[in-house]
């Protein structure tokens, strides 16, 4: 019964530890202001700045995943190269050891005092003090979790069955790092595993010779979630590449560090460093060695990853490439990501219209996949758009968001029209053949070219915000309207009112409706 109670203490401590990390992340996101966002976007231009950004962001949030998430977002909106995101990841691996370092200072016993101070600071009506209280609250919860782990570990080691298991495992230099790697993967937190290792080492359960192998297991295990995210990411290439870059980077660092374990351990023993501190310092030393070995070659490493993790299979047109739910709490970035995804949708619309109007340009696979891709991508963009909260943001961002919502509404209409009525009309070319038979091939060619130019001009207005494009769309719309009237007059003069004429007129009306939507896109961007 006592064993169960002690085990519950350890599990509860781990849960509290992980909750503290999540709370720190939440507080950071909640208090991320415009000035901070602008600073982050500017502070990643140079390699050393990107590295420092990764260190600071990971240390503040106690999560290297957050730094990686921001790095992917910056890559997608063009504010950071992929090579820069790799450097951010390197910095994040160092910042992630911040909590482990604090644990080595043995300030866990002050956790209740820290929590009480954080509680009272949160009650003071000052935004600045509340932020300090929030940061302190996250740290105090982490330390409270560590305190519970210690309360459960020490008496549990007195149980014979438990101590025998620990002794058998710690005697193997393969089992310990493997267990640390698996546990880090399951808990999704290297700091939590280090905290558990510190408690066991301080209680004398694990020998000092096992500390460095455990540090290697934790180092490699911390890549599992980001690798899984990249492996199962069907849309975002930057997520895949950074996931694999993180795994290969830390795996290489761990392998390189293995031959030096005996020498580092002897050096620590010489300076009489305790077993628990050997784990913490070993983790920091491993991360630094990893950085020193690969940081000078970060550019070459990123090029290798980009080539190694290329588009090995066809892109899934139905999956978003840029939208990231994790960055919804940062409107400045999420609006840019939405804009990038809408540009991708615009490309799909243009490609599909071209294939509908000109059957000889159809690519079988792409033509069959585009309707579903347009429909799903339009739905994803709309859902993401409504999740963005820009209340309290600056006027330029609010204005850009308003323009995007207007344009997205028009894109939704275009998507339904092109994958619905227009797609059914032109899929087998029967109606276009009727048009050519009764009105001539020259008129069909000119009418088709005008519609395609109209769409391309409106999309150019959306993408590059070029001035004067609305006048160009007006010109194309007037020409399309004139040709529509001419076509109806020719059909009327022939006194031809059969089913063919009805279908031709329906096709003309649909294309006129599409032209009107194109004009709306251009007008929305210019005004």
């Amino acid at each position: 019964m006592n064993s169960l109670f002690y085990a519950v203490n350890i599990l509860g401590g781990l849960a509290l530890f992980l909750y503290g990390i999540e709370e720190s992340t939440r507080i950071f996101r909640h208090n991320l202001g415009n000035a901070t966002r602008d600073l982050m976007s500017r502070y990643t231009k140079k390699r050393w700045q990107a590295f420092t950004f990764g260190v600071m962001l990971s240390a503040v949030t106690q999560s290297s995943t957050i730094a990686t998430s921001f790095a992917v977002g910056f890559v997608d909106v063009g504010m950071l190269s992929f090579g820069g995101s790799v450097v951010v990841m390197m910095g994040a691996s160092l910042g992630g050891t911040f909590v482990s370092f604090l644990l080595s200072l043995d300030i866990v016993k002050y956790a209740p005092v820290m929590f009480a101070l954080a509680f009272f600071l949160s009650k003071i009506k000052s935004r600045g003090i509340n932020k300090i209280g929030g940061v302190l609250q996250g740290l105090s919860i982490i330390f409270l979790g560590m305190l519970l782990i210690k309360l459960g570990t020490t008496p549990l080691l007195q149980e014979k069955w438990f101590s025998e298991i620990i002794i058998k495992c710690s005697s193997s230099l393969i089992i310990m790092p493997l267990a640390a790697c698996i546990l880090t993967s399951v808990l999704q937190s290297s700091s939590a595993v280090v905290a558990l290792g510190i408690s066991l080492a301080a209680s004398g359960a694990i020998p000092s010779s096992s500390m460095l192998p455990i540090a290697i297991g934790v180092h490699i295990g911390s890549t599992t979630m980001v690798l899984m995210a990249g492996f199962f990411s069907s849309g975002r290439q930057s997520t895949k590449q950074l996931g694999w870059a993180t795994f290969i980077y830390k795996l290489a660092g761990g392998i390189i560090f293995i031959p030096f374990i005996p020498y580092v351990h002897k050096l620590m023993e010489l300076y009489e460093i305790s077993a628990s501190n050997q784990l913490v310092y070993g983790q920091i030393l491993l991360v630094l060695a990893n950085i020193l070995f690969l940081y000078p070659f970060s550019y070459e490493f990123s090029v290798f990853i980009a080539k190694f993790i290329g588009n090995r299979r066809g892109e899934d047109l139905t999956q978003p490439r840029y939208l990231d739910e994790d960055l919804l709490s940062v409107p400045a970035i999420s609006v840019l990501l939405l804009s990038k995804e809408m540009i991708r949708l615009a490309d799909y619309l243009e490609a599909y219209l071209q294939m509908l109007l000109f059957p000889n340009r159809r690519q079988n696979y792409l033509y069959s996949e585009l309707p579903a891709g347009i429909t799903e991508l339009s739905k994803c963009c709309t859902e993401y758009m409504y999740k963005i909260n820009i209340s309290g943001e600056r006027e330029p961002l609010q204005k850009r968001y308003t323009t995007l919502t207007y344009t997205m509404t028009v894109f939704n209409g275009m998507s339904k029209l092109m994958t619905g009525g227009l797609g059914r009309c032109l899929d087998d070319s029967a109606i276009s053949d009727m048009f050519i038979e009764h009105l001539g091939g020259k008129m069909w060619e000119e009418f088709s070219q005008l519609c395609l130019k109209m769409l391309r001009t409106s999309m150019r207005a959306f993408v590059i915000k070029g001035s004067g494009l609305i006048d160009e769309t007006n010109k194309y719309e007037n020409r399309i309207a004139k040709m529509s009237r001419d076509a109806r007059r020719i059909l009327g003069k022939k006194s031809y009112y059969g089913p063919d004429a009805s279908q031709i007129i329906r096709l003309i009306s649909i294309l006129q409706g599409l032209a009107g939507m194109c004009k709306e896109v251009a007008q929305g961007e210019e005004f």
Side-chain angles (χ1 to χ4, degrees):
M1 192 67 181
N2 285 336
S3 299
L4 179 61
F5 176 75
Y6 301 142
V8 168
N9 268 348
I10 294 174
L11 291 175
L14 281 173
L16 198 59
F17 192 102
L18 295 171
Y19 173 72
I21 291 176
E22 287 186 359
E23 189 67 7
S24 296
T25 301
R26 185 194 65 78
I27 291 168
F28 172 79
R29 287 184 179 278
H30 179 72
N31 292 303
L32 190 64
N34 286 320
T36 309
R37 296 167 197 161
D38 292 340
L39 178 65
M40 287 191 300
S41 64
R42 294 197 306 268
Y43 203 67
T44 52
K45 301 298 182 183
K46 298 180 180 179
R47 188 168 64 168
W48 70 268
Q49 291 177 331
F51 178 82
T52 308
F53 167 76
V55 174
M56 293 190 301
L57 188 58
S58 182
V60 170
T61 62
Q62 285 102 59
S63 173
S64 59
T65 305
I66 297 299
T68 303
S69 175
F70 273 94
V72 170
F74 285 161
V75 170
D76 286 338
V77 298
M79 293 193 295
L80 184 68
S81 66
F82 174 66
S85 72
V86 170
V87 175
V88 170
M89 176 270 294
M90 292 179 180
S93 67
L94 179 60
T97 65
F98 177 67
V99 171
S100 300
F101 176 73
L102 290 179
L103 294 176
S104 71
L105 299 178
D106 197 25
I107 58 176
V108 174
K109 56 188 175 184
Y110 301 110
V113 177
M114 291 175 61
F115 187 79
L117 180 60
F119 175 78
F120 289 119
L121 287 176
S122 66
K123 299 300 179 182
I124 297 176
K125 295 182 179 180
S126 169
R127 184 172 176 82
I129 294 176
N130 278 336
K131 287 182 179 181
I132 296 172
V135 173
L136 192 60
Q137 176 181 308
L139 284 174
S140 64
I141 293 174
I142 290 171
F143 292 151
L144 283 171
M146 181 63 181
L147 195 60
L148 270 180
I149 292 172
K150 281 190 172 183
L151 288 174
T153 302
T154 304
L156 190 59
L157 286 170
Q158 304 302 320
E159 302 289 333
K160 186 178 179 180
W161 64 270
F162 184 74
S163 60
E164 286 179 353
I165 292 175
I166 294 297
I167 291 170
K168 286 181 180 179
C169 291
S170 61
S171 62
S172 172
L173 294 180
I174 296 177
I175 294 178
M176 289 307 290
L178 183 60
C181 181
I182 294 172
L183 195 56
T184 303
S185 303
V186 172
L187 296 178
Q188 302 177 35
S189 172
S190 58
S191 299
V193 179
V194 170
L196 186 58
I198 289 173
S199 295
L200 291 171
S203 304
I206 303 178
S208 59
S209 59
S210 298
M211 295 298 101
L212 294 177
I214 290 174
I216 292 178
V218 168
H219 189 63
I220 297 174
S222 64
T223 67
T224 304
M225 292 312 298
V226 70
L227 178 63
M228 293 290 284
F231 185 76
F232 289 108
S233 173
S234 54
R236 305 180 70 206
Q237 192 68 6
S238 54
T239 305
K240 291 180 183 179
Q241 291 177 338
L242 197 55
W244 278 102
T246 304
F247 175 72
I248 294 173
Y249 167 78
K250 292 192 176 183
L251 179 63
I255 292 173
I256 291 167
F257 193 74
I258 289 175
F260 298 96
I261 287 179
Y263 306 103
V264 175
H265 175 63
K266 284 182 180 179
L267 186 63
M268 289 186 174
E269 288 287 299
L270 181 64
Y271 285 94
E272 298 182 348
I273 297 174
S274 66
S276 57
N277 281 344
Q278 283 191 35
L279 174 56
V280 175
Y281 299 158
Q283 183 194 20
I284 296 172
L285 189 61
L286 171 57
V287 170
L288 288 174
N290 208 165
I291 292 168
L292 289 173
F293 181 76
L294 281 176
Y295 179 81
F297 309 102
S298 58
Y299 174 75
E300 291 80 5
F301 180 63
S302 63
V303 171
F304 165 75
I305 292 296
K307 290 181 178 179
F308 178 69
I309 314 297
N311 282 317
R312 299 189 175 187
R313 56 195 174 100
E315 181 183 23
D316 187 348
L317 304 185
T318 64
Q319 295 297 318
R321 182 188 299 167
Y322 304 107
L323 305 184
D324 191 338
E325 298 280 335
D326 290 337
L327 293 172
L328 280 169
S329 56
V330 190
I333 297 178
S334 56
V335 167
L336 284 172
L337 293 177
L338 174 62
S339 177
K340 295 273 284 188
E341 202 68 65
M342 288 174 62
I343 291 173
R344 183 170 169 238
L345 175 60
D347 289 339
Y348 288 178
L349 291 170
E350 180 183 332
Y352 190 52
L353 180 63
Q354 181 176 223
M355 292 183 193
L356 284 174
L357 294 172
F358 303 98
N360 61 316
R361 301 181 188 178
R362 291 177 185 176
Q363 303 172 33
N364 292 334
Y365 169 77
L366 191 59
Y367 179 71
S368 62
E369 294 293 323
L370 273 173
I374 290 171
T375 301
E376 287 301 313
L377 199 56
S378 178
K379 179 182 176 182
C380 290
C381 286
T382 303
E383 291 176 351
Y384 191 82
M385 177 184 73
Y386 286 130
K387 291 178 182 178
I388 299 174
N389 182 12
I390 61 164
S391 59
E393 297 297 321
R394 290 177 301 178
E395 186 177 346
L397 183 60
Q398 291 182 340
K399 184 177 180 181
R400 180 57 186 154
Y401 178 75
T402 301
T403 302
L404 283 178
T405 56
Y406 179 80
T407 303
M408 191 61 232
T409 302
V410 181
F411 277 7
N412 280 330
M414 283 184 173
S415 300
K416 292 176 182 177
L417 184 134
M418 289 175 64
T419 59
L422 188 61
R424 288 191 293 271
C425 281
L426 296 176
D427 186 48
D428 62 359
S429 75
I431 299 179
S432 59
D433 289 343
M434 295 178 195
F435 189 109
I436 293 169
E437 180 185 349
H438 296 290
L439 298 171
K442 184 178 179 181
M443 178 176 278
W444 172 250
E445 178 72 19
E446 186 178 353
F447 196 74
S448 300
Q449 290 288 357
L450 276 174
C451 290
L452 189 57
K453 287 179 180 178
M454 179 79 174
L455 180 67
R456 285 176 173 170
T457 303
S458 67
M459 295 308 173
R460 195 162 77 247
F462 169 63
V463 174
I464 66 175
K465 319 291 186 299
S467 60
L469 290 175
I470 188 172
D471 294 332
E472 199 170 337
T473 55
N474 281 334
K475 180 181 69 175
Y476 288 139
E477 186 189 36
N478 290 335
R479 288 175 62 184
I480 289 171
K482 182 179 182 302
M483 290 194 72
S484 298
R485 290 193 298 270
D486 290 344
R488 287 185 172 90
R489 187 175 64 253
I490 292 171
L491 290 174
K493 282 182 179 180
K494 290 183 176 181
S495 299
Y496 180 73
Y497 298 106
D500 287 4
S502 299
Q503 293 190 64
I504 293 171
I505 292 173
R506 180 171 179 269
L507 173 60
I508 291 172
S509 299
I510 291 173
L511 289 172
Q512 271 193 286
L514 180 62
M517 292 180 183
C518 292
K519 182 179 177 181
E520 289 293 312
V521 171
Q523 285 180 330
E525 290 300 322
E526 187 144 324
F527 298 108

